[in-house]
Structure formats: structure tokens, C-alpha cells
Amino acid sequence: MAPFLQELPNGSLSINVKPSLQSPDVESTKPSYRPGQTHVESHEAYEHEDLRPSFPDVHWAPLQEVPYHDKGLQGHSDFRNLLKGATDVFDYNPRIGTEVHGVSLAKLTDAQRDDLALLIATRGVVFFRNQTDFDIEAQRKLGQYYGTLHKHATTSVPRKDGLEDVHVVWADEKTKDQRALFTPTFLWHSDVTYELQPPSYTSLKLLAGPPRGAGGDTLWASQYAAYDSMSRQMQIYLENLTALHSAELQAEGSRALGRPVRRNPVVTEHPLVRTHPVTGWKSLFFSPGFVTKIVGVPKTESDTIIRYLNEVIATTPELHVRYQWQKNDVAFWDNRICNHSASYGFAPHRRHAVRVACQAERPVFDASGKSQEEDLSARYGLPKVNKDGSRQSNYND
């Protein structure tokens, strides 16, 4: 009840408050907070048992080249079909990452799917919150609209039959922390770049994960922006090089754990810079976890290039977007132009997600391609970036 004025015997006024019989207990409504501690969810009756990981002992033939037509070429330039029902749309930073609210991925028309492909090709990764009706079959159906689904040779697939083209991300309450096993740069990667036709449009849905603030975020890095961060001299140098992408280490790791390798590992040569068929923008095409050598140069030079590109991808903040997951969220990215990295430190929480990716075109470099940064600067009248590192400047906090 609202406070009221009460006249005292001496003629003065005081404010009085009548207690409410239904007023909440003040102590019980206070947020429970302990620094660095979060509630661990019980999963005794888990709704996604059929999507838990398995490693079927089967063997597949080598992948053959398949036709690919990028649906992003059919998208509308202002994404009007996709965004007509959206309640909010915003970018995480100028170079990568967009979040869309009010759109159901399970109910997209073909025109909306085309717009989504164009948006992903433009922004690198797009996030959709709370996609409860986007089940695994809807996720596969949308992936199949974009192309032939990729089947991973070593990682886990769901227990449920018929889902060999779904990749399972799994860490449970008993999983040991793996931070000590990898360098931070090595964890950055584009998926299966060793394939003849590495994937393009890739979706990941979180089925169960740590609560807010408990870790388990994913980071993406724009390879458009990585290319644009370099001097023109370095760009020209890399445009004339190719790299070897190898599946051998991944296969060796599976064998060491006693798991099957379903398809023989391959080593494939791809250009270090590729041109996107939809945007026409040039991007670096480098995967720290899979590139083993630069072709045609001495080993010392190759190792130096690899260290340099690892540093560009892992340590340049302007390239990065970091996403804090919630249950049923979906991230949709273009694997051709993004690297990504999981983050550790979320134990003892369960983290369970399912990924679907379609095969794309063979990577191609087209010298007539454009710079994303220069294209957007011209389009929006932005100042030209000065890449002269010899200038004097104060540190930017």
C-alpha cells in the first residue's frame, strides 16, 4: 500500500506506511551472488539423450566434388524478407557479428533463407536467441537448403540413427578441463578446411550449457578483417601463396583415444587468400588448427608466416566477436570467412550443442575482388584507414 500522511497531536505531519499482508520478504527477493560461483543444473531426466555423442565404427569413401550454388546470390540487398518480422537487429561491432530478434529459423520462407545466407556472408556470424522450435530436423533441413551436408570423419555424431551429418559438441559434469592441452592460437580454426570443399553456412544450436557468467563462450574472428588489417604489400604477397591443410593430426588424435576414423585423412592445398562468391570481398583463408605448411617457400619463411597469421587472428580485437550462450540459442556463420574458438573454464557445467554445415565451393582467389573495409568506407563515407605503423600515437584506452 502507498505511504500516507498522518497528523500528529502536536500538529506536525509524518509519513506512515501501512504494511501489506502480501508484501514479499525483502531478504528472499535479493539476488543470490557469490563471485565466480554459479548454479550447476541437474540433468537426471535429460531431454536430449538421443543427441548425446557416439562414435560409430564405420568407414566412408573419400569425398567427391559436388555442385554448389550459393543461395546468398539470391538474397535481397537490404535483407527485407528476413527482417520484415524482426523486433530488433544490431551489430556487435563494425566488422563481424549481428544479432536478430523476432525471427524463427524453423519457419523461414525460401526468400528469407536466401536473405539469411546473404546476411551471414556479409556479417560473418549471425545470432538468434531462444530458438526452441528449431529442432535437429529443422536444423538439417535448413542446412540442406544451402547445400550438401558435410559428414565429419572423426568427431562424434548423435546416438540417434540417420544423423551422421550432425556434429555433436559435448562436455559433461565429469569432463576434464583441456586448457593445458592446446595453445590459445591453435584452438582458433575454420572447420575442416582440409576438405576439397570446406563448409560455408554452418549452424550451431546450444541444447544445454553453463548459466550466464559461467563460461563456455564462443569467439569468432573475421577473415575479411584479418586480410584488411594488413599492408597492401603483405596482401599482395599472401595472394600469391597457397597453404597445406591437413586432417592427419585430427585423425591421429582419434586413433590415440581408440575412436574410429570414418574417412581416411587428407591433405589439401588451398589459396591463402580467397574471394567470396557472394560479396566479392577478399579474405584470408587460414586455419591455425589445420594449416601445416606454406607452399613454395623455405620452411623458415613458412613457419614465420604461420606464426604471424596466428597472431593476427588470435590477438586483433577488431576482428573478434564473443558470444555468451543461453539455452536454445543458435549461431549461424560462414565458415569460409570466419575462424572460431571455444573457451574453457566452464566446468562442472554440461555443454551440449549440435552443428550442421554444408559443403561450399572450392576456395578460389579472384584478383578483381574487393576489400571489405575499403568497400564499406566508400559506401558510408568513412575515413580511409592509415596503415603506417611508423607514425607517433598515444595509446588508446
Side-chain angles (χ1 to χ4, degrees), residues 70-74 77 79 115-124 201 222-224 228 274-283 334 336-337 361 366 368-373 375-376 379:
D70 201 310
K71 299 291 188 178
L73 293 167
Q74 301 163 197
S77 59
F79 320 108
D115 280 7
L116 174 58
L118 177 57
L119 181 60
I120 297 168
T122 303
R123 294 295 303 159
Y201 304 114
S222 168
Q223 299 216 67
Y224 288 146
D228 284 336
R274 69 186 296 173
T275 307
H276 199 287
V278 174
T279 64
W281 293 334
K282 297 177 184 178
S283 75
D334 191 334
R336 295 168 291 189
I337 54 167
E361 79 283 356
D366 181 354
S368 66
K370 301 170 290 183
S371 154
Q372 182 199 48
E373 186 169 62
D375 192 24
L376 295 179
R379 189 181 306 178

Side-chain angles (χ1 to χ4, degrees), residues 274-331:
R274 69 186 296 173
T275 307
H276 199 287
V278 174
T279 64
W281 293 334
K282 297 177 184 178
S283 75
L284 185 66
F285 188 60
F286 178 79
S287 183
F290 297 126
V291 169
T292 56
K293 296 178 182 178
I294 308 300
V295 178
V297 300
K299 187 177 189 307
T300 301
E301 189 172 337
S302 172
D303 291 349
T304 301
I305 296 168
I306 290 173
R307 284 196 301 270
Y308 165 66
L309 296 180
N310 280 343
E311 182 176 1
V312 169
I313 289 169
T315 68
T316 310
E318 294 81 13
L319 275 61
H320 296 166
V321 60
R322 183 176 186 132
Y323 187 66
Q324 189 175 73
W325 293 92
Q326 298 177 30
K327 183 178 179 180
N328 292 318
D329 288 355
V330 175

Side-chain angles (χ1 to χ4, degrees), residues 95-324:
R95 308 309 301 276
I96 181 173
T98 299
E99 187 165 320
V100 178
H101 295 182
V103 172
S104 170
L105 291 173
K107 299 174 182 177
L108 299 180
T109 65
D110 286 355
Q112 289 177 311
R113 292 170 177 175
D114 296 342
D115 280 7
L116 174 58
L118 177 57
L119 181 60
I120 297 168
T122 303
R123 294 295 303 159
V125 57
V126 182
F127 307 111
F128 298 85
R129 298 281 185 184
N130 198 30
Q131 298 288 307
T132 55
D133 54 351
F134 192 58
D135 61 19
I136 192 59
E137 291 305 332
Q139 190 175 356
R140 292 178 70 239
K141 183 179 179 180
L142 183 53
Q144 288 165 343
Y145 178 79
Y146 293 130
T148 302
L149 297 187
H150 177 262
K151 294 162 64 174
H152 203 291
T154 57
T155 57
S156 58
V157 301
R159 291 178 175 179
K160 184 178 179 180
D161 291 338
L163 299 179
E164 291 82 9
D165 48 22
V166 176
H167 164 70
V168 177
V169 175
W170 175 268
D172 63 18
E173 299 77 2
K174 299 178 181 179
T175 300
K176 294 181 179 179
D177 192 290
Q178 301 186 71
R179 279 176 290 182
L181 303 179
F182 307 101
T183 62
T185 54
F186 181 82
L187 288 173
W188 284 97
H189 65 285
S190 295
D191 291 326
V192 297
T193 55
Y194 47 74
E195 302 288 25
L196 190 65
Q197 295 174 267
S200 55
Y201 304 114
T202 302
S203 64
L204 182 70
K205 178 175 179 178
L206 187 74
L207 304 176
R212 185 174 60 180
D217 301 352
T218 303
L219 296 86
W220 283 263
S222 168
Q223 299 216 67
Y224 288 146
Y227 171 85
D228 284 336
S229 71
M230 302 171 189
S231 69
R232 184 61 190 136
Q233 294 88 335
M234 180 59 75
Q235 291 173 346
I236 293 171
Y237 174 62
L238 297 180
E239 287 172 1
N240 289 280
L241 294 176
T242 59
L244 297 181
H245 298 242
S246 176
E248 293 284 355
L249 186 61
Q250 206 166 53
E252 290 172 7
S254 292
R255 293 190 184 107
L257 293 170
R259 295 171 178 170
V261 176
R262 298 184 288 271
R263 189 167 53 240
N264 291 336
V266 295
V267 177
T268 307
E269 185 175 343
H270 291 309
L272 256 180
V273 177
R274 69 186 296 173
T275 307
H276 199 287
V278 174
T279 64
W281 293 334
K282 297 177 184 178
S283 75
L284 185 66
F285 188 60
F286 178 79
S287 183
F290 297 126
V291 169
T292 56
K293 296 178 182 178
I294 308 300
V295 178
V297 300
K299 187 177 189 307
T300 301
E301 189 172 337
S302 172
D303 291 349
T304 301
I305 296 168
I306 290 173
R307 284 196 301 270
Y308 165 66
L309 296 180
N310 280 343
E311 182 176 1
V312 169
I313 289 169
T315 68
T316 310
E318 294 81 13
L319 275 61
H320 296 166
V321 60
R322 183 176 186 132
Y323 187 66
Q324 189 175 73

